Amino acid sequence: AGFKEEPPILAAADASGSELLRGLLARLDSPLKYDQTHVVMLAWELSQHKSILKSLQSLPDVAQVTNDNALAKIYIQSVGPEYAVITLHSTGEFARKHKK
């Protein structure tokens, strides 16, 4: 979804024609908050990058980043045995600055 679009869940509810999904969304106490973000996934083959394993294992599964204009969250998707995968989420400020 872009900056001038509704959150994807609302578009999915409309496209699906599901009265149940529309009804659930309509009953939310407050409107859905949708913040623009850029997301990137990184993966390492651990057999070739063994040093990364210890670093990633020291992080929590989800880390909020503070005092950074570009990076907001780090999600550890999986670590081992063969691969390590993380997802980085940008700040809204970064996403707005670099929108296409």
Side-chain angles (χ1 to χ4, degrees), residues 3-36:
F3 284 88
K4 296 179 183 176
E5 297 176 7
E6 292 291 330
I9 189 68
L10 296 178
D14 288 340
S16 73
S18 169
E19 291 302 320
L20 177 61
L21 184 54
R22 286 187 199 152
L24 290 171
L25 291 174
R27 281 183 256 186
L28 291 174
D29 289 336
S30 59
L32 290 173
K33 184 178 177 195
Y34 178 67
D35 292 324
Q36 184 69 28

Side-chain angles (χ1 to χ4, degrees), residues 3-91:
F3 284 88
K4 296 179 183 176
E5 297 176 7
E6 292 291 330
I9 189 68
L10 296 178
D14 288 340
S16 73
S18 169
E19 291 302 320
L20 177 61
L21 184 54
R22 286 187 199 152
L24 290 171
L25 291 174
R27 281 183 256 186
L28 291 174
D29 289 336
S30 59
L32 290 173
K33 184 178 177 195
Y34 178 67
D35 292 324
Q36 184 69 28
T37 187
H38 288 264
V39 178
V40 64
M41 292 187 83
L42 306 169
W44 292 269
E45 186 175 353
L46 293 174
S47 66
Q48 295 185 18
H49 300 280
K50 293 180 193 267
S51 62
I52 196 77
L53 181 60
K54 230 178 189 179
S55 297
L56 291 176
Q57 288 175 328
S58 71
L59 294 172
D61 289 342
V62 178
Q64 292 284 117
V65 177
T66 57
N67 300 320
D68 192 286
N69 292 333
L71 187 60
K73 295 178 192 169
I74 301 169
Y75 289 91
I76 306 298
Q77 301 293 314
S78 67
V79 177
E82 295 180 38
Y83 299 96
V85 180
I86 68 169
T87 305
L88 306 176
H89 289 245
S90 75
T91 62

